[in-house]
Amino acid sequence: MWRYSGRLSEATMALAYDTAHRQQRQGDDNGDLVWIPGRTFVMGSNEHYPEEAPAHPVTVDGFWIEATPVTNRKFQEFVKATGHVTLAEKTPDPKDYPGALPNMLRAGSLVFTPPKSVTGTDIGQWWKFKFGVNWRRPYGGLSDLRGKLDHPVVHVAYCDAKAYAEWAGMDLPTEAEWELAARGGLDDTEFAWGDELMPNGVAMANTWQGTFPTHSTKLAGKDRTTPVRSFPPNGYGAYDLIGNVWEWTSDYWSTRHPEPAPKACCIPENPRGGGKEASYDPNQPNILIPRRVLKGGSHLCAPNYCRRYRPAARHAEPEDTSTSHVGFRCIKRVAT
């Protein structure tokens, strides 16, 4: 069986970085985009969660990607220009949620609410659906965007992210595109910056510090999203691809990756995810809401609970679901 080593020569890496940085400067004139050189890389992992396996080589064409997640400032510009109303601001249609209690069919979104203690693994102990919560009021009540314009926008469902991308003349990345960008030119490393979560004790991304979900060791007010660019960029000059907020991709969810190609000639090129019907949640057979792949982990990922602050990590999210820890960024593909 043909095997891909997953490593690039120093000369190839130097050329890739030179191309990336040179084209990054060109991309700055087009809305703060950075260039991701196309190449073959090993996607997924055999070392962590089962849905990340099997690791398999794929080939992805080069593309531009936003240097940061879309911020509240940028999303606000989009809403002002288009009048877009997010899904979290709309009253749910009872036909889409058979069996739902009428009093729950109100506009709102999911908010992480740290409990004082937990029993078992029911996530309902720390996730609460709150009425009146949306991107403008990320925690509900009197919360607003003061001091948060440069934070990633949250409480956006898939349709909201897609609408923004179309308005901006871009698209949402596939899972393969996103993972290639997140790796920053590194292969065979667990994290986007190397093999240590916190090299020399330095946090490289906004992830949970302490014991999730009851105890955060961060300073008061610093335990949720942070402004973009608060942590170092990766090798391609992109920020926050790991941590801060999960990010939507355009691929439908699948429970595992395809098997590796047996020969070099058969490596998938610009692969897409699974089918729409296969993405439905089998635990909710009466609710046919497609699920998409989220990537990157968030400020809630912690060693004791969710080690998904890695490029290979992935998570299923229903298209209609918005939360306080999910955002997105866009890409621009090169015309052929």
Side-chain angles (χ1 to χ4, degrees), residues 84-123:
H84 181 82
V85 178
T86 62
L87 201 61
E89 297 172 279
K90 299 177 181 178
T91 301
D93 187 338
K95 293 183 296 184
D96 294 332
Y97 306 96
L101 297 175
N103 66 310
M104 291 300 294
L105 293 174
R106 295 168 56 188
S109 190
L110 286 164
V111 180
F112 172 72
T113 306
K116 293 182 178 180
S117 62
V118 297
T119 302
T121 59
D122 179 13
I123 64 173

Short mmCIF file of all heavy atoms in Angstrom, two decimals, residues 84-123:
data_model
loop_
_atom_site.label_atom_id
_atom_site.label_comp_id
_atom_site.label_asym_id
_atom_site.label_seq_id
_atom_site.Cartn_x
_atom_site.Cartn_y
_atom_site.Cartn_z
N HIS A 84 -30.10 41.77 7.28
CA HIS A 84 -30.19 40.35 7.65
C HIS A 84 -30.64 40.15 9.09
O HIS A 84 -30.17 40.83 10.00
CB HIS A 84 -28.83 39.67 7.45
CG HIS A 84 -28.83 38.20 7.76
ND1 HIS A 84 -29.26 37.25 6.86
CD2 HIS A 84 -28.49 37.53 8.89
CE1 HIS A 84 -29.15 36.06 7.40
NE2 HIS A 84 -28.69 36.19 8.64
N VAL A 85 -31.57 39.22 9.28
CA VAL A 85 -32.05 38.83 10.60
C VAL A 85 -31.57 37.42 10.87
O VAL A 85 -31.87 36.49 10.09
CB VAL A 85 -33.58 38.91 10.70
CG1 VAL A 85 -34.05 38.46 12.09
CG2 VAL A 85 -34.07 40.31 10.41
N THR A 86 -30.81 37.21 11.92
CA THR A 86 -30.25 35.89 12.19
C THR A 86 -31.33 34.92 12.67
O THR A 86 -32.39 35.32 13.14
CB THR A 86 -29.14 35.96 13.24
OG1 THR A 86 -29.69 36.44 14.48
CG2 THR A 86 -28.02 36.87 12.79
N LEU A 87 -31.02 33.65 12.55
CA LEU A 87 -31.97 32.62 12.96
C LEU A 87 -32.32 32.73 14.44
O LEU A 87 -33.46 32.47 14.84
CB LEU A 87 -31.39 31.24 12.66
CG LEU A 87 -32.39 30.08 12.55
CD1 LEU A 87 -33.38 30.33 11.43
CD2 LEU A 87 -31.66 28.77 12.33
N ALA A 88 -31.35 33.12 15.26
CA ALA A 88 -31.60 33.25 16.70
C ALA A 88 -32.56 34.38 17.02
O ALA A 88 -33.09 34.45 18.13
CB ALA A 88 -30.28 33.46 17.44
N GLU A 89 -32.80 35.28 16.06
CA GLU A 89 -33.72 36.39 16.26
C GLU A 89 -35.12 36.09 15.75
O GLU A 89 -36.01 36.94 15.85
CB GLU A 89 -33.17 37.64 15.56
CG GLU A 89 -31.84 38.11 16.12
CD GLU A 89 -31.21 39.21 15.30
OE1 GLU A 89 -30.58 38.91 14.27
OE2 GLU A 89 -31.38 40.39 15.68
N LYS A 90 -35.30 34.90 15.18
CA LYS A 90 -36.59 34.53 14.61
C LYS A 90 -37.32 33.51 15.47
O LYS A 90 -36.70 32.65 16.10
CB LYS A 90 -36.39 33.94 13.20
CG LYS A 90 -35.74 34.88 12.21
CD LYS A 90 -35.53 34.17 10.88
CE LYS A 90 -34.85 35.07 9.86
NZ LYS A 90 -34.60 34.37 8.57
N THR A 91 -38.66 33.58 15.48
CA THR A 91 -39.46 32.59 16.20
C THR A 91 -39.43 31.27 15.44
O THR A 91 -39.72 31.24 14.23
CB THR A 91 -40.92 33.05 16.34
OG1 THR A 91 -40.93 34.30 17.04
CG2 THR A 91 -41.75 32.03 17.09
N PRO A 92 -39.07 30.16 16.08
CA PRO A 92 -38.99 28.87 15.39
C PRO A 92 -40.34 28.44 14.82
O PRO A 92 -41.39 28.72 15.39
CB PRO A 92 -38.52 27.91 16.49
CG PRO A 92 -37.86 28.78 17.51
CD PRO A 92 -38.63 30.07 17.48
N ASP A 93 -40.31 27.74 13.70
CA ASP A 93 -41.50 27.19 13.06
C ASP A 93 -41.83 25.85 13.72
O ASP A 93 -41.00 24.93 13.70
CB ASP A 93 -41.25 26.99 11.57
CG ASP A 93 -42.50 26.59 10.81
OD1 ASP A 93 -43.45 26.07 11.44
OD2 ASP A 93 -42.55 26.79 9.58
N PRO A 94 -43.03 25.70 14.31
CA PRO A 94 -43.39 24.45 14.99
C PRO A 94 -43.26 23.23 14.09
O PRO A 94 -43.00 22.12 14.59
CB PRO A 94 -44.85 24.69 15.40
CG PRO A 94 -44.98 26.17 15.47
CD PRO A 94 -44.09 26.71 14.40
N LYS A 95 -43.44 23.39 12.78
CA LYS A 95 -43.36 22.24 11.87
C LYS A 95 -41.96 21.64 11.84
O LYS A 95 -41.80 20.45 11.54
CB LYS A 95 -43.76 22.68 10.46
CG LYS A 95 -45.23 23.06 10.31
CD LYS A 95 -45.57 23.41 8.88
CE LYS A 95 -44.80 24.65 8.42
NZ LYS A 95 -45.21 25.07 7.04
N ASP A 96 -40.95 22.44 12.16
CA ASP A 96 -39.58 21.94 12.13
C ASP A 96 -39.20 21.20 13.41
O ASP A 96 -38.17 20.51 13.45
CB ASP A 96 -38.59 23.10 11.94
CG ASP A 96 -38.73 23.74 10.57
OD1 ASP A 96 -39.14 23.04 9.63
OD2 ASP A 96 -38.44 24.95 10.45
N TYR A 97 -40.03 21.34 14.45
CA TYR A 97 -39.69 20.76 15.75
C TYR A 97 -40.89 20.01 16.33
O TYR A 97 -41.51 20.45 17.31
CB TYR A 97 -39.21 21.85 16.71
CG TYR A 97 -38.08 22.65 16.13
CD1 TYR A 97 -38.32 23.87 15.48
CD2 TYR A 97 -36.77 22.19 16.19
CE1 TYR A 97 -37.27 24.59 14.91
CE2 TYR A 97 -35.72 22.91 15.64
CZ TYR A 97 -35.99 24.11 15.00
OH TYR A 97 -34.96 24.82 14.44
N PRO A 98 -41.26 18.89 15.71
CA PRO A 98 -42.40 18.13 16.20
C PRO A 98 -42.20 17.68 17.65
O PRO A 98 -41.13 17.20 18.03
CB PRO A 98 -42.47 16.94 15.25
CG PRO A 98 -41.09 16.84 14.65
CD PRO A 98 -40.60 18.24 14.56
N GLY A 99 -43.22 17.91 18.46
CA GLY A 99 -43.15 17.51 19.86
C GLY A 99 -42.58 18.57 20.78
O GLY A 99 -42.57 18.37 22.01
N ALA A 100 -42.12 19.67 20.23
CA ALA A 100 -41.55 20.72 21.08
C ALA A 100 -42.64 21.41 21.89
O ALA A 100 -43.77 21.59 21.42
CB ALA A 100 -40.82 21.75 20.23
N LEU A 101 -42.32 21.78 23.11
CA LEU A 101 -43.27 22.48 23.96
C LEU A 101 -43.51 23.88 23.39
O LEU A 101 -42.55 24.59 23.04
CB LEU A 101 -42.72 22.58 25.39
CG LEU A 101 -42.50 21.25 26.13
CD1 LEU A 101 -41.83 21.51 27.48
CD2 LEU A 101 -43.84 20.53 26.33
N PRO A 102 -44.75 24.30 23.27
CA PRO A 102 -45.06 25.62 22.70
C PRO A 102 -44.33 26.76 23.37
O PRO A 102 -43.92 27.72 22.71
CB PRO A 102 -46.58 25.73 22.88
CG PRO A 102 -47.06 24.31 22.91
CD PRO A 102 -45.98 23.55 23.61
N ASN A 103 -44.15 26.68 24.69
CA ASN A 103 -43.49 27.78 25.40
C ASN A 103 -42.00 27.88 25.10
O ASN A 103 -41.36 28.88 25.44
CB ASN A 103 -43.71 27.64 26.92
CG ASN A 103 -43.02 26.41 27.48
OD1 ASN A 103 -43.17 25.32 26.95
ND2 ASN A 103 -42.30 26.58 28.57
N MET A 104 -41.46 26.83 24.44
CA MET A 104 -40.04 26.87 24.08
C MET A 104 -39.81 27.38 22.67
O MET A 104 -38.68 27.64 22.29
CB MET A 104 -39.44 25.47 24.22
CG MET A 104 -39.33 24.97 25.65
SD MET A 104 -38.30 26.06 26.68
CE MET A 104 -36.70 25.84 25.91
N LEU A 105 -40.88 27.53 21.90
CA LEU A 105 -40.74 28.00 20.52
C LEU A 105 -40.69 29.52 20.48
O LEU A 105 -41.59 30.20 20.00
CB LEU A 105 -41.89 27.45 19.67
CG LEU A 105 -41.87 25.93 19.48
CD1 LEU A 105 -43.13 25.47 18.76
CD2 LEU A 105 -40.62 25.49 18.72
N ARG A 106 -39.61 30.04 21.01
CA ARG A 106 -39.36 31.47 21.04
C ARG A 106 -37.94 31.74 20.58
O ARG A 106 -37.06 30.87 20.65
CB ARG A 106 -39.57 32.02 22.46
CG ARG A 106 -41.01 31.90 22.96
CD ARG A 106 -41.11 32.19 24.45
NE ARG A 106 -40.57 33.50 24.80
CZ ARG A 106 -40.41 33.91 26.06
NH1 ARG A 106 -40.73 33.11 27.07
NH2 ARG A 106 -39.92 35.12 26.32
N ALA A 107 -37.70 32.94 20.08
CA ALA A 107 -36.38 33.30 19.59
C ALA A 107 -35.36 33.27 20.73
O ALA A 107 -35.62 33.72 21.84
CB ALA A 107 -36.41 34.68 18.96
N GLY A 108 -34.20 32.73 20.44
CA GLY A 108 -33.15 32.65 21.45
C GLY A 108 -31.99 31.81 20.98
O GLY A 108 -31.92 31.41 19.81
N SER A 109 -31.07 31.50 21.88
CA SER A 109 -29.88 30.76 21.51
C SER A 109 -29.30 30.10 22.77
O SER A 109 -29.71 30.40 23.90
CB SER A 109 -28.85 31.70 20.87
OG SER A 109 -27.77 30.99 20.31
N LEU A 110 -28.32 29.22 22.54
CA LEU A 110 -27.70 28.49 23.65
C LEU A 110 -26.53 29.29 24.23
O LEU A 110 -25.68 29.80 23.50
CB LEU A 110 -27.19 27.14 23.16
CG LEU A 110 -28.26 26.08 22.90
CD1 LEU A 110 -27.69 24.94 22.06
CD2 LEU A 110 -28.81 25.54 24.22
N VAL A 111 -26.49 29.36 25.55
CA VAL A 111 -25.44 30.11 26.24
C VAL A 111 -24.77 29.21 27.27
O VAL A 111 -25.45 28.52 28.04
CB VAL A 111 -26.02 31.35 26.96
CG1 VAL A 111 -24.91 32.11 27.68
CG2 VAL A 111 -26.73 32.25 25.97
N PHE A 112 -23.46 29.20 27.28
CA PHE A 112 -22.73 28.47 28.31
C PHE A 112 -22.92 29.18 29.64
O PHE A 112 -22.65 30.38 29.77
CB PHE A 112 -21.24 28.40 27.99
CG PHE A 112 -20.42 27.82 29.12
CD1 PHE A 112 -20.49 26.48 29.43
CD2 PHE A 112 -19.61 28.64 29.89
CE1 PHE A 112 -19.75 25.95 30.48
CE2 PHE A 112 -18.86 28.13 30.94
CZ PHE A 112 -18.94 26.77 31.23
N THR A 113 -23.40 28.44 30.64
CA THR A 113 -23.64 28.98 31.97
C THR A 113 -22.94 28.09 32.98
O THR A 113 -23.41 26.98 33.27
CB THR A 113 -25.15 29.03 32.28
OG1 THR A 113 -25.82 29.73 31.22
CG2 THR A 113 -25.42 29.71 33.60
N PRO A 114 -21.78 28.49 33.50
CA PRO A 114 -21.01 27.60 34.37
C PRO A 114 -21.76 27.23 35.64
O PRO A 114 -22.25 28.11 36.36
CB PRO A 114 -19.76 28.42 34.69
CG PRO A 114 -20.14 29.84 34.42
CD PRO A 114 -21.15 29.80 33.32
N PRO A 115 -21.90 25.94 35.92
CA PRO A 115 -22.58 25.50 37.13
C PRO A 115 -21.63 25.47 38.32
O PRO A 115 -20.40 25.47 38.15
CB PRO A 115 -23.02 24.07 36.77
CG PRO A 115 -21.92 23.60 35.86
CD PRO A 115 -21.47 24.80 35.08
N LYS A 116 -22.18 25.46 39.51
CA LYS A 116 -21.34 25.37 40.70
C LYS A 116 -20.83 23.96 40.91
O LYS A 116 -19.75 23.74 41.45
CB LYS A 116 -22.13 25.84 41.93
CG LYS A 116 -22.47 27.33 41.89
CD LYS A 116 -23.21 27.75 43.15
CE LYS A 116 -23.51 29.25 43.13
NZ LYS A 116 -24.25 29.70 44.36
N SER A 117 -21.62 22.98 40.47
CA SER A 117 -21.22 21.58 40.56
C SER A 117 -21.95 20.81 39.48
O SER A 117 -22.95 21.30 38.93
CB SER A 117 -21.53 21.00 41.95
OG SER A 117 -22.93 21.03 42.19
N VAL A 118 -21.48 19.61 39.16
CA VAL A 118 -22.13 18.79 38.14
C VAL A 118 -22.28 17.37 38.65
O VAL A 118 -21.51 16.90 39.48
CB VAL A 118 -21.34 18.79 36.82
CG1 VAL A 118 -21.29 20.18 36.22
CG2 VAL A 118 -19.94 18.23 37.02
N THR A 119 -23.31 16.71 38.12
CA THR A 119 -23.53 15.30 38.40
C THR A 119 -23.69 14.58 37.07
O THR A 119 -24.60 14.90 36.29
CB THR A 119 -24.80 15.10 39.24
OG1 THR A 119 -24.68 15.84 40.46
CG2 THR A 119 -25.00 13.62 39.57
N GLY A 120 -22.82 13.63 36.78
CA GLY A 120 -22.91 12.94 35.51
C GLY A 120 -22.39 13.79 34.37
O GLY A 120 -21.62 14.74 34.56
N THR A 121 -22.85 13.45 33.16
CA THR A 121 -22.32 14.10 31.95
C THR A 121 -23.37 14.87 31.16
O THR A 121 -23.12 15.27 30.03
CB THR A 121 -21.69 13.05 31.03
OG1 THR A 121 -22.68 12.07 30.68
CG2 THR A 121 -20.51 12.35 31.71
N ASP A 122 -24.54 15.11 31.72
CA ASP A 122 -25.60 15.82 31.01
C ASP A 122 -25.17 17.26 30.76
O ASP A 122 -25.00 18.05 31.69
CB ASP A 122 -26.89 15.80 31.84
CG ASP A 122 -28.02 16.56 31.17
OD1 ASP A 122 -27.89 16.89 29.97
OD2 ASP A 122 -29.03 16.82 31.85
N ILE A 123 -25.02 17.62 29.48
CA ILE A 123 -24.54 18.97 29.15
C ILE A 123 -25.57 20.04 29.46
O ILE A 123 -25.25 21.23 29.47
CB ILE A 123 -24.11 19.06 27.67
CG1 ILE A 123 -25.31 18.85 26.74
CG2 ILE A 123 -23.00 18.07 27.37
CD1 ILE A 123 -24.98 19.10 25.28
#
